[in-house]
Amino acid sequence: MENSTNIEECEKLPLEQAESSVNSEPESSLSAGENSTASGTGLSEKTLTCEQIDTSKKRKECEDDLVKESSSCEEDTPSKKRKLDAEIAPEQKGSGDDENISKKRKTGTDDDTHEPCPGDGARKKRKLELEDVPEKQKNLEHGHGSAVAAHYNELQEVGLEKRSQSRIFYLRNFNNWIKSALIGEFLEKTRQKKKREIAVLDLGCGKGGDLLKWKKGRIHKLVCTDIADVSVKQCQQRYEDMKSRRDGESLFNAEFITADCSKELLIEKLRDPEMHFDICSCQFVCHYSFESYKQADMLLRNACERLSPGGYFIGTTPNSFELIKRLETSETESFGNEIYTVKFQKKGDYPLFGCKYDFNLEGVVDVPEFLVYFPLLNEMVKKYNMKLVYKKTFLEFYEEKIKNNENKMLLKRMQALEPYPANENSKPASEKVDDYSHAAEYMEKSQVRLPLGTLSKSEWEAASIYLVFAFEKQQ
């Protein structure tokens, strides 16, 4: 299987098709804008726009909550210009966690960082722990795994104020909303099947950006694993901080494991090697393992083998067809814009495994990845008795989930779309003249209240290379 194969020829692999079982709400006021061409790609994309964003009301709510939380120091002092409410799993609205809504400032990927307030002993404790971590993990083999681990180990935490001024602030929030909606959907599906305790494997947990999602989902057990030792330690520290602030509220039990899940068998590292999971979440991770069949299979074994019947393997990963389409329409071996770039080694030859490309996303990712051909992924997981529930592009997923009012409100609370036009106290995230032409056109054609919610074309071009997927373990 490791021989070079033209990707078009691989279309002969069968692909399981299944209808999504998500219940649609009546059509909402949020919609995709008119078709617009993604800058630099020549591809026609729908660019996201959303009607009225009540920034003044949200700002007031956020300020009130920040006053309430000042004694516990859940997060940094927020930006004066931008304030972001806490993420919550969609099904948890009204579950008793409403007082926490404005406590969490999210930045949009599984590498969201957490920095305690000045004076909090956690900062000093974390610093001491991280000093014991070598610059590159000695127990990892040299090669791509070491490069990935080193990149994320060396990725520095930054203050909230700096993060809020990032060029990709809204893109990261949007990606994080995608994850929240996906996780919320399958937590609810699991809860409908299983009333008792829910166990989750977060494969590629990063610094713990999804911990709050699992807390809101009221799970019982979480195993977090990642290749980057520093990230795992930071994830564990975030969990300990959450645990110390829970004020009598029950919090899931957690286990933290540093491992290269594309090379190491996870069950050999678990406290309970007989443990089974109800959900495995693998967010923006699969593309690191497709260097070889052996590595990809090990990752999928770790993700799927210990799932209980009816359990789910969910995640996000780059869309191989979209990447190749953009590459083939580019004049060079690379494509992108001012916030992201993708550079392949050559055109026209795309092996099933080891098809390496360099991916750079401003200030967040700068490491090689491997093409994940989804029909191949679908075939490989059948070995572990998994069946495809659905795969959707980010646009398709957005258009479906936004019909639900709770998801719509979550989108606003997480500031996953940028207000357009910008008010007098702020400036647009992008300085490119035509980056909001789609929003301006939508505003002219539609009778809508302002401001709209949107992503700049540059950010949408980066977000639209991804897809979401879900597989279910068969009986």
Side-chain angles (χ1 to χ4, degrees):
M1 295 182 73
E2 299 191 39
N3 293 333
S4 297
T5 306
N6 188 290
I7 202 162
E8 286 82 0
E9 295 176 355
C10 301
E11 294 180 11
K12 298 176 182 179
L13 285 173
L15 176 64
E16 296 283 331
Q17 297 294 335
E19 294 287 331
S20 169
S21 58
V22 177
N23 292 326
S24 297
E25 296 293 327
E27 192 168 331
S28 72
S29 62
L30 277 77
S31 63
E34 299 298 324
N35 286 351
S36 59
T37 302
S39 175
T41 67
L43 301 176
S44 177
E45 297 286 355
K46 286 184 178 179
T47 310
L48 299 187
T49 58
C50 158
E51 292 190 17
Q52 177 78 13
I53 290 185
D54 190 352
T55 53
S56 60
K57 181 179 179 181
K58 179 164 58 59
R59 186 177 295 114
K60 177 66 167 59
E61 291 174 352
C62 193
E63 288 170 352
D64 291 342
D65 285 335
L66 285 166
V67 171
K68 293 178 184 177
E69 74 173 354
S70 59
S71 60
S72 63
C73 295
E74 172 124 357
E75 291 297 333
D76 299 317
T77 301
S79 164
K80 294 180 180 179
K81 292 183 180 179
R82 298 173 181 167
K83 296 178 176 67
L84 179 62
D85 293 334
E87 58 167 307
I88 59 173
E91 75 277 11
Q92 294 305 308
K93 188 175 180 182
S95 65
D97 292 322
D98 291 346
E99 69 276 10
N100 293 322
I101 284 177
S102 296
K103 288 184 177 181
K104 190 72 176 177
R105 182 64 187 255
K106 302 301 295 178
T107 53
T109 67
D110 55 341
D111 291 319
D112 294 338
T113 56
H114 167 81
E115 188 175 347
C117 293
D120 194 329
R123 184 193 299 274
K124 182 180 294 185
K125 182 179 178 181
R126 180 180 301 154
K127 182 177 180 182
L128 291 174
E129 285 180 344
L130 300 186
E131 285 176 351
D132 296 331
V133 180
E135 183 177 352
K136 295 186 178 181
Q137 293 165 248
K138 295 179 180 179
N139 62 325
L140 290 176
E141 298 179 20
H142 293 294
H144 183 258
S146 292
V148 173
H151 168 75
Y152 287 106
N153 278 335
E154 294 165 7
L155 196 62
Q156 298 295 314
E157 291 192 45
V158 297
L160 181 61
E161 185 73 21
K162 184 174 180 180
R163 290 202 305 271
S164 70
Q165 300 306 317
S166 167
R167 172 63 184 87
I168 58 171
F169 173 76
Y170 293 104
L171 170 63
R172 298 187 74 185
N173 291 346
F174 180 77
N175 287 348
N176 203 29
W177 176 83
I178 293 282
K179 291 195 299 175
S180 293
L182 180 66
I183 287 172
E185 174 188 346
F186 285 94
L187 278 173
E188 181 60 25
K189 287 181 181 296
T190 301
R191 190 165 288 110
Q192 290 172 1
K193 295 178 179 180
K194 180 181 181 181
K195 303 298 182 183
R196 56 189 178 83
E197 300 162 343
I198 295 175
V200 172
L201 171 62
D202 192 339
L203 202 161
C205 64
K207 294 174 172 60
D210 292 338
L211 287 176
L212 191 62
K213 299 178 182 67
W214 304 124
K215 175 186 174 185
K216 297 298 178 182
R218 306 191 311 275
I219 69 171
H220 175 70
K221 173 72 175 183
L222 177 68
V223 173
C224 293
T225 180
D226 198 276
I227 192 174
D229 194 27
V230 171
S231 293
V232 173
K233 286 183 179 293
Q234 290 173 338
C235 181
Q236 185 169 4
Q237 185 60 59
R238 290 181 74 169
Y239 170 78
E240 295 299 332
D241 292 345
M242 289 171 61
K243 193 174 181 180
S244 66
R245 290 192 299 269
R246 73 181 188 271
D247 299 325
E249 178 188 2
S250 62
L251 185 65
F252 54 81
N253 297 317
E255 183 176 349
F256 301 87
I257 300 172
T258 300
D260 183 347
C261 287
S262 71
K263 296 179 181 178
E264 302 173 79
L265 191 58
L266 193 57
I267 57 173
E268 296 176 352
K269 297 177 176 290
L270 292 172
R271 293 172 190 164
D272 177 10
E274 300 300 319
M275 182 179 180
H276 283 76
F277 299 97
D278 301 293
I279 295 175
C280 173
S281 176
C282 189
Q283 308 294 335
F284 301 99
V285 169
C286 288
H287 44 275
Y288 294 126
S289 69
F290 271 66
E291 184 174 8
S292 68
Y293 170 80
K294 183 178 180 180
Q295 289 174 252
D297 180 63
M298 179 61 77
L299 180 86
L300 297 177
R301 179 180 178 183
N302 284 322
C304 303
E305 190 173 48
R306 303 304 295 181
L307 284 174
S308 299
Y312 296 103
F313 172 39
I314 62 174
T316 46
T317 193
N319 182 349
S320 60
F321 290 107
E322 186 64 28
L323 291 176
I324 297 303
K325 181 166 65 173
R326 296 188 188 189
L327 174 63
E328 291 293 342
T329 57
S330 172
E331 295 180 355
T332 65
E333 285 74 33
S334 64
F335 58 88
N337 57 37
E338 73 275 12
I339 64 172
Y340 89 105
T341 56
V342 175
K343 184 177 181 180
F344 280 78
Q345 295 176 325
K346 59 182 178 179
K347 291 184 180 182
D349 185 21
Y350 310 111
L352 293 179
F353 300 97
C355 187
K356 189 165 101 171
Y357 59 89
D358 294 309
F359 179 72
N360 180 279
L361 181 64
E362 185 182 272
V364 181
V365 182
D366 186 11
V367 69
E369 300 177 358
F370 297 96
L371 204 66
V372 179
Y373 179 55
F374 196 84
L376 174 63
L377 174 65
N378 185 41
E379 288 297 307
M380 291 181 70
V381 296
K382 290 178 182 178
K383 175 180 178 181
Y384 302 103
N385 205 23
M386 304 297 295
K387 183 177 180 180
L388 182 67
V389 175
Y390 67 64
K391 75 172 181 70
K392 298 178 186 294
T393 66
F394 271 22
L395 176 60
E396 292 168 337
F397 188 76
Y398 166 84
E399 290 182 329
E400 177 184 278
K401 293 304 176 186
I402 209 60
K403 295 175 183 177
N404 179 283
N405 286 330
E406 291 185 357
N407 288 332
K408 189 192 306 183
M409 293 305 298
L410 181 64
L411 186 84
K412 294 180 181 180
R413 285 196 294 270
M414 294 179 69
Q415 274 192 310
L417 296 179
E418 178 180 3
Y420 178 86
N423 62 47
E424 58 184 11
N425 296 320
S426 62
K427 62 179 182 179
S430 174
E431 297 179 357
K432 290 177 64 177
V433 176
D434 65 343
D435 241 2
Y436 301 96
S437 59
H438 59 287
E441 183 178 352
Y442 180 78
M443 187 172 63
E444 290 177 3
K445 290 183 177 181
S446 307
Q447 297 296 322
V448 297
R449 293 184 299 162
L450 299 179
L452 295 173
T454 190
L455 289 178
S456 67
K457 288 184 180 180
S458 298
E459 287 172 289
W460 179 242
E461 184 185 330
S464 59
I465 67 175
Y466 292 99
L467 55 79
V468 300
F469 63 82
F471 296 92
E472 182 178 9
K473 188 70 170 276
Q474 299 303 290
Q475 297 292 333

